[in-house]
Amino acid sequence: MADDAQAHAPGAPHRCAAPRNAQLRTPQPLPGLELLWSGSVPDHAEEAAAQRHLLDASESARLAALRWPQDRDAYAVAHVTLRRLLAEWLGQAPETVPLLREPCSHCGGPHGRPYVPDSGVHFSLSHTRGMVLIALASRPVGVDVETLLGTPAVDELTSQLHPDEAAELAVVPYEARPRAFARCWTRKEAVLKALGVGLNLEPALTYVGTGAQPAWQQAWLLADVATEPGYAAAVAVRRPDRDPGDHRPLRSLS
């Protein structure tokens, strides 16, 4: 992936020149998706460590509570970069961007979609060891990036998929299952994060498919995102013709 580039919807303002980032591409433009940022954690860890003062008290406490250095680095890169991107977009200092959470749309708890009050910008971030993915959008959005697992681990986790997805995965050649599973899981998490529920909603209830193309969704535009070898990523954005309260997945268990 190329450095110093951004992917944004046609006609969207090219506002975010920093921090250094990587070019990301989806198979087709997604209306409402303004920016996708991806970065390697080792490439950005030193810079993020020097800018941890930009984090608020809650973020700093969560960072300090992480046990492993790799997890602390990934968290710092993700949250420092998110603040810098939002600051560029909103025209204010990174440390002054107020990050709050909506009530969960599934249970009403205080762990729904993060948001910036009165800003009009929607965002989502995901990080795994080694990689960070961030999206800014004009409507609800979710992203997910995951490290590819080994086939034995995939076989253990297949029960968490929708029954139709599990059936699809069962006929995928053994060596190709990690990629197919990762495609499915990142699509699933992207939709659930865009919904504002995350894994508080049973993952098996939502069907997104394991094949080369995501399953069509009634309320969401869903696409895979090209990323570094060894990872899979996806993004979901609410359809422009859908009411904000219409978050139904394509298929669910009866």
Side-chain angles (χ1 to χ4, degrees), residues 149-161 169 177 181 185:
L149 300 174
T151 305
V154 167
D155 290 343
E156 291 181 8
L157 294 170
T158 298
S159 62
Q160 298 186 35
L161 302 181
L169 201 62
R177 286 182 192 171
F181 177 86
W185 193 262

Side-chain angles (χ1 to χ4, degrees), residues 116-139:
V116 178
D118 304 316
S119 68
V121 63
H122 297 265
F123 60 90
S124 181
L125 74 120
S126 178
H127 55 85
T128 186
R129 287 190 177 184
M131 187 63 61
V132 170
L133 179 62
I134 298 172
L136 303 186
S138 60
R139 54 180 61 97

